[in-house]
Amino acid sequence: MHILHVVGARPNFMKAAPVLRALASKPGVRQTLVHTGQHYDRIMSDVFFQELEMPQPDCNLEVGSGSHAQQTAAILRAFEPVVIERKPDLVLVYGDVNSTVAAALVCSKLGFPVGHVEAGLRSRDRTMPEEINRLLTDQLSDLLFTPSPDGDENLLHEGVDRSRIHLVGNVMIDTLVRLLPRSEQHRRANLAAPYVLVTLHRPSNVDDLPWLRELLATLAELSQQLTVVFPVHPRTRERLTDLSLKGFTADAGSHPRLQLLDPQPYLDFLALQRGAALVITDSGGIQEETTFLGVPCLTVRENTERPVTITMGTNQLVGRDLQKLRKAAAEILRQELEDGPKQARTEKRGTETQHRPPCHIPLWDGHAAERIAEIVLRRGTP
Ligand code: UD1
């Protein structure tokens, strides 16, 4: 059986890696890995292949950056001849990035079966490009692998046939479970707890310059109390340049404890998350990872496609309300100081993680990819 995987952007790599591994051990399976080149910098792509021990892509479409239409169109054009030539029995696509929807569209038009890993998530916010990608990819896919029961409900509600939906759990957590012990060696020696970890890259936060300026001012304010570590996505870095906010650099005299870093490799970032007193983010995956790790998270968005992170109690949506952000952060940090240093708590959690994750979400157990492999093989060649 020939399975072709499509990856393109940073969050895809953590999702595809465990599925590639699970299928590699199965007899009679041949795999092809296509990288669209949506992300292309070493720190946004290559370093993940190394750390996640992924095979090098068999083919890189090198589409690069562009508007949504340009990027999606470039993938459609470049990917079509690859599928026609390689004739896979199944194409697996991951998550909700432009590469995901583009690959699914090509395959469904040509009649190649598609499996969507991380299906069914919905923010119900169609201003998010990822929401459009999720809706369309799920409609185009033959197999829908969901991470949590809300995904199944969303798909059923949209009229997807139950027989196509498979609740398998969270593949991103598979990667986390496997690499958490290794991340221990990637702790930043010169970063003392407690600290706050920040990531922001959504267009709704970083393309709105007055809002970005206010957000940064709030982070700078927070950094008067404790260290704030902020690995900056290339999109965000561009906006900071637009804003001429170079005063907000790590060595800036006015905000010495607001540290702007380059995007971090997987193991370094995992170590940062694990040791953080608080994470402030607009990422989807980080909401899930902090939930698994039991680290408090404030999400700078009005909605989330990952409601389980809210119901588990680790994640709160603060929307575009900076007062709410300040208040929630102060409350979390007050508790943090009362409970003692986070480092001690997370270390305890760290040893437990292999057997008993701090947040018990069914099927977020490190074995989601194995379940996908079983289903794919059971289904066999059409
Ligand atoms: C994409 C995904 C988003 C995901 C994010 C993770 C879509 C619609 N969005 O957003 O869901 O959370 O990846 O990072 O697919 N750039 C570089 N080097 C790179 C890649 C990008 O400098 O290797 C810069 C370019 O200026 C580019 C910008 O980052 O224009 C944005 O990249 P793009 O892939 O368009 O979207 P992301 O914001 O990364």
Side-chain angles (χ1 to χ4, degrees):
M1 184 178 196
H2 178 197
I3 298 166
L4 187 150
H5 306 254
V6 181
V7 294
R10 191 172 54 175
N12 287 163
F13 310 136
M14 289 75 110
K15 296 167 193 172
V19 183
L20 282 153
R21 287 173 82 81
L23 283 162
S25 63
K26 304 288 180 196
V29 171
R30 183 159 64 89
Q31 304 195 77
T32 299
L33 179 58
V34 175
H35 190 328
T36 64
Q38 175 173 347
H39 285 175
Y40 41 85
D41 286 344
R42 196 187 125 64
I43 51 171
M44 296 295 284
S45 178
D46 299 1
V47 75
F48 291 92
F49 279 76
Q50 284 158 22
E51 289 195 338
L52 306 180
E53 296 160 316
M54 288 171 72
Q56 282 307 303
D58 298 283
C59 165
N60 192 323
L61 308 179
E62 296 182 355
V63 299
S65 301
S67 70
H68 284 269
Q70 286 166 351
Q71 191 173 60
T72 309
I75 300 166
L76 294 176
R77 286 182 75 130
F79 184 54
E80 185 181 56
V82 175
V83 194
I84 292 172
E85 187 202 323
R86 306 253 176 175
K87 299 185 182 52
D89 298 307
L90 177 69
V91 175
L92 289 179
V93 297
Y94 298 85
D96 55 15
V97 302
N98 287 342
S99 301
T100 310
V101 69
L105 183 56
V106 168
C107 294
S108 66
K109 289 278 180 88
L110 292 171
F112 288 98
V114 180
H116 183 203
V117 178
E118 198 186 80
L121 300 187
R122 297 290 181 268
S123 66
R124 300 195 167 68
D125 174 1
R126 292 203 184 190
T127 64
M128 276 181 86
E130 291 81 4
E131 183 72 354
I132 309 291
N133 295 344
R134 290 181 202 116
L135 281 159
L136 296 179
T137 305
D138 285 341
Q139 284 299 322
L140 297 169
S141 298
D142 302 276
L143 287 172
L144 297 126
F145 299 109
T146 56
S148 43
D150 53 289
D152 297 41
E153 283 163 31
N154 291 331
L155 293 170
L156 291 170
H157 186 71
E158 288 166 18
V160 175
D161 194 276
R162 191 180 286 277
S163 64
R164 287 160 55 200
I165 305 170
H166 302 274
L167 176 59
V168 292
N170 192 321
V171 285
M172 204 170 201
I173 299 300
D174 287 7
T175 296
L176 187 152
V177 168
R178 184 169 77 87
L179 294 177
L180 194 58
R182 211 178 296 171
S183 73
E184 195 54 25
Q185 290 131 36
H186 287 251
R187 274 206 212 150
R188 292 175 88 81
N190 56 358
L191 181 62
Y195 62 87
V196 175
L197 174 64
V198 178
T199 78
L200 296 167
H201 74 281
R202 296 256 165 242
S204 57
N205 281 324
V206 306
D207 290 357
D208 177 345
L209 295 189
W211 168 246
L212 181 60
R213 186 190 288 272
E214 281 188 55
L215 259 176
L216 284 167
T218 307
L219 297 177
E221 195 183 296
L222 200 56
S223 76
Q224 285 165 8
Q225 219 186 313
L226 76 177
T227 303
V228 176
V229 186
F230 183 1
V232 184
H233 184 282
R235 171 193 281 278
T236 312
R237 178 73 67 182
E238 275 177 36
R239 300 302 175 264
L240 294 187
T241 311
D242 292 347
L243 268 176
S244 307
L245 277 177
K246 291 189 183 132
F248 283 95
T249 50
D251 54 352
S254 47
H255 306 294
R257 290 205 285 178
L258 175 55
Q259 300 184 7
L260 302 196
L261 311 178
D262 282 335
Q264 294 294 293
Y266 183 75
L267 294 170
D268 293 64
F269 191 77
L270 189 51
L272 278 171
Q273 279 194 86
R274 189 186 195 183
L278 164 67
V279 174
I280 299 175
T281 191
D282 57 9
S283 152
I286 294 169
Q287 294 174 56
E288 295 181 335
E289 289 171 344
T290 49
T291 293
F292 185 85
L293 294 168
V295 174
C297 177
L298 296 176
T299 298
V300 190
R301 284 175 45 191
E302 301 287 352
N303 46 57
T304 179
E305 61 287 341
R306 277 120 166 142
V308 69
T309 63
I310 309 281
T311 51
M312 294 307 290
T314 50
N315 185 22
Q316 293 176 56
L317 296 177
V318 295
R320 285 171 79 91
D321 184 342
L322 290 174
Q323 265 316 98
K324 200 169 171 184
L325 174 61
R326 282 193 194 93
K327 218 172 135 212
E331 176 57 24
I332 290 164
L333 295 173
R334 188 187 57 74
Q335 272 184 15
E336 174 64 25
L337 294 177
E338 267 175 22
D339 291 357
K342 181 82 189 176
Q343 213 61 35
R345 289 213 313 272
T346 50
E347 256 168 49
K348 192 159 151 263
R349 281 184 180 131
T351 51
E352 286 174 358
T353 299
Q354 289 156 29
H355 311 291
R356 193 167 64 82
C359 281
H360 304 272
I361 302 177
L363 304 178
W364 290 28
D365 58 358
H367 301 289
E370 290 158 32
R371 289 187 278 271
I372 292 175
E374 290 300 327
I375 293 163
V376 164
L377 290 179
R378 217 182 308 136
R379 181 178 174 275
T381 312

